[in-house]
Amino acid sequence: MVGTPGGRPDDLPSAAVIADRFDRITWRDTYEQSAGLRELAGELGARHDGAADLLTDVFLAAYQVRPKLRAGAEMDPARLVNHEIVAGLLESPGFAGLHRETAGDPYAAAMAVLAQGAALRGMLEGSREARERAERAERARQDAEDAAEASAADEAAGPDGSDGSKASDGSDGSDEGAEPGAAPERDPGAAHRAAEAARDAAAQALAAASPGVRAAARAASARAAEAVREEAALMRAWGVGAGELERMPFERRARLAERLRTGRLAQWAELIGRFRQMAAGERARKVEQAAGELIGVTLGDDLSRVIPSELANLGLPGLRAVFAARYAAGELMLYDSQGEQTTGRGAIIACVDTSHSMYVAGPGGVTREAWSKACALALLDQARRAGRDFVGILFSSADRLRVFRFPAGEPAGIDRTLDFAESFLGGGTSYQAPLTRAGGLLEEEFNDAARTRGDIVLITDDECGVTEEWTRGWNEAKQRLGFRLFGVAVGAPRAAGSGSVLEALCDNLRSIEDLTEVQGAADLFRVI
């Protein structure tokens, strides 16, 4: 490389973040997949030289596990503003939180770039003078280098403008008709002084712009961290795991994120997440055939619960035969316990009321629909963990019904789950239509797989009548198939013994008044 008068190499890097070719391949692939990145690059590039380099640097700073900033002296001076911007981002308090979400994740790193788009635009505008002075300084440096080379060539040519050698035709190598001393005037000293002055002016402009750039970078980093965290929390709330996200194509992940942000239940993601966490905690408490809490002494033959005084008889040869006789008769004294045991084996069916009244919000601002859908999604998780089929039935009037089936042996699919959660029918309320369909599905399951003991959860805010004939058929089906019906009355208190239709139909009924809480339904996830 050709050197400057100060020994500076002519071809310096334009990137502020040191990266290997694999990192740059990741950036190129992400850029090609992201319409948002291409649009931002086009917008900034039309007004600011070096915008493409800046976007690359911001992406790599977020994506690399240990981003390393290049020394400013090693960079192209025309890109020192980019260096200042990236340095401000890396040093900002919010960057550590942002980096935890974006490191190693190209999609999240791209999202961080897009979230900082407006701030990057502002920083480039605010540092325009510094960037222009840096570019002038670079041109002055090149002019000084050209002058120095030209001066060196003049000195080598000699006083008469030639190198003192004869041409092959016998001439002296000088141009015929040229006036003596006609070589262009060159003053490398003046060019060098101009380059020094331009460099100093550029340094002063950069120093003046630096505080504003650093402050804007801190704010941008904090906003980007918040945006990335919100999207990550949104994905977690809807049950989309990190492994699934890594396998998901870029554009599909972008479309999913947009749907989650703008969907019908977007503002209730936190409630959905809390419901799922609560249900997971309740599942952890439920162990089938567990001993549970000790409540006394009973008789039986379970040697794992024999009380110490009975075991002491085994130590006396004369009483061993007595112990054996009582064991055979099932009359050993045992610790008695009360445990929470699961009884369901068939499908879990959530019948969710989507009549007009379910759109009403409670005192905390949570709608009855949002609470009901969050509960239903937690029941979907419950079914998946237990290897049971799940069916979501959305209902309102007798002629309005939508059924979403999630077989245990197939992936639930986030798109199908969202379709279930975001559908809303409107209209009035009919119990008979959804419960009849639920009973029919359990009948099909019994005929196909001989499974009984399913669980139906009816979530509603309304009260409606049922016919006597329908009730007889319903009770016969319950007895034949062994399923249970749990009722959840949301938004309206119902006193036990009120004689309501809902209370008469359900084996177990709970009333939910505070829709901001999820613990009111906790027992469902211990017994289903």
Side-chain angles (χ1 to χ4, degrees), residues 9 118 131 161 253 280 287 310 335:
R131 191 172 57 258
R253 184 171 172 181
V287 180
E310 288 277 24
Y335 285 121

Side-chain angles (χ1 to χ4, degrees), residues 63-398:
Y63 172 72
Q64 290 180 341
V65 176
R66 293 182 180 84
K68 186 176 180 181
L69 199 62
R70 195 184 307 278
E74 300 174 1
M75 281 189 66
D76 181 348
R79 298 292 182 265
L80 286 178
V81 168
N82 291 0
H83 186 280
E84 195 71 15
I85 291 173
V86 178
L89 292 173
L90 291 173
E91 295 170 6
S92 63
F95 181 78
L98 172 65
H99 194 243
R100 279 194 294 270
E101 301 289 348
T102 61
D105 186 341
Y107 174 87
M111 183 184 171
V113 175
L114 295 173
Q116 297 174 91
L120 294 175
R121 187 183 305 111
M123 284 186 275
L124 287 172
E125 288 290 345
S127 59
R128 182 185 292 275
E129 181 181 354
R131 191 172 57 258
E132 290 175 349
R133 286 184 178 274
E135 290 169 356
R136 286 200 292 269
E138 180 61 15
R139 288 195 296 271
R141 182 198 65 79
Q142 187 63 51
D143 289 344
E145 182 179 317
D146 292 344
E149 290 179 353
S151 177
D154 287 346
E155 290 177 2
D160 59 354
S162 69
D163 61 1
S165 63
K166 295 287 185 178
S168 59
D169 59 0
S171 68
D172 60 3
S174 60
D175 294 334
E176 294 184 4
E179 297 181 3
E185 294 183 2
R186 299 175 177 87
D187 186 352
H192 182 66
R193 288 192 294 273
E196 291 286 345
R199 186 180 63 190
D200 292 342
Q204 291 173 5
L206 183 60
S210 180
V213 167
R214 295 296 179 108
R218 286 194 295 272
S221 181
R223 284 194 296 271
E226 182 179 0
V228 173
R229 279 196 300 269
E230 285 178 357
E231 181 167 310
L234 198 59
M235 293 292 184
R236 286 193 294 269
W238 283 95
V240 185
E244 184 178 355
L245 288 176
E246 289 177 3
R247 295 189 299 270
M248 195 177 293
F250 187 96
E251 284 303 325
R252 180 163 180 256
R253 184 171 172 181
R255 288 194 300 271
L256 173 60
E258 181 64 18
R259 184 176 181 183
L260 294 181
R261 281 193 295 268
T262 60
R264 184 179 183 88
L265 298 182
Q267 62 180 313
W268 312 120
E270 188 270 340
L271 175 69
I272 293 169
R274 284 197 293 122
F275 235 115
R276 285 178 142 156
Q277 289 176 356
M278 177 274 291
E282 295 303 320
R283 277 195 300 274
R285 293 181 55 190
K286 178 177 65 177
V287 180
E288 189 173 5
Q289 298 178 351
E293 179 184 1
L294 296 178
I295 58 174
V297 176
T298 187
L299 299 179
D301 60 0
D302 186 351
L303 296 177
S304 67
R305 293 189 289 137
V306 175
I307 67 174
S309 61
E310 288 277 24
L311 291 175
N313 292 335
L314 291 174
L316 301 174
L319 295 179
R320 289 173 186 169
V322 175
F323 181 93
R326 294 180 64 183
Y327 173 66
E331 295 179 350
L332 292 174
M333 288 190 291
L334 313 175
Y335 285 121
D336 194 9
S337 64
Q338 178 175 290
E340 294 174 326
Q341 299 181 10
T342 181
T343 59
R345 284 294 179 274
I348 297 176
I349 302 178
C351 298
V352 183
D353 188 350
T354 59
S355 60
H356 284 310
S357 59
M358 291 292 284
Y359 197 61
V360 174
V366 179
T367 65
R368 297 170 182 177
E369 178 200 8
W371 193 97
S372 302
K373 297 284 183 64
C375 183
L377 291 173
L379 288 168
L380 170 58
D381 289 346
Q382 186 87 346
R384 307 304 290 182
R385 299 297 189 278
R388 300 168 67 181
D389 290 349
F390 176 82
V391 181
I393 299 179
L394 305 181
F395 70 93
S396 57
S397 307

Side-chain angles (χ1 to χ4, degrees), residues 394-423:
L394 305 181
F395 70 93
S396 57
S397 307
D399 59 343
R400 296 188 180 184
L401 201 72
R402 285 198 68 185
V403 178
F404 296 83
R405 304 185 72 161
F406 299 87
E410 301 175 9
I414 182 62
D415 291 327
R416 180 75 171 160
T417 302
L418 284 170
D419 289 341
F420 165 60
E422 294 179 349
S423 296

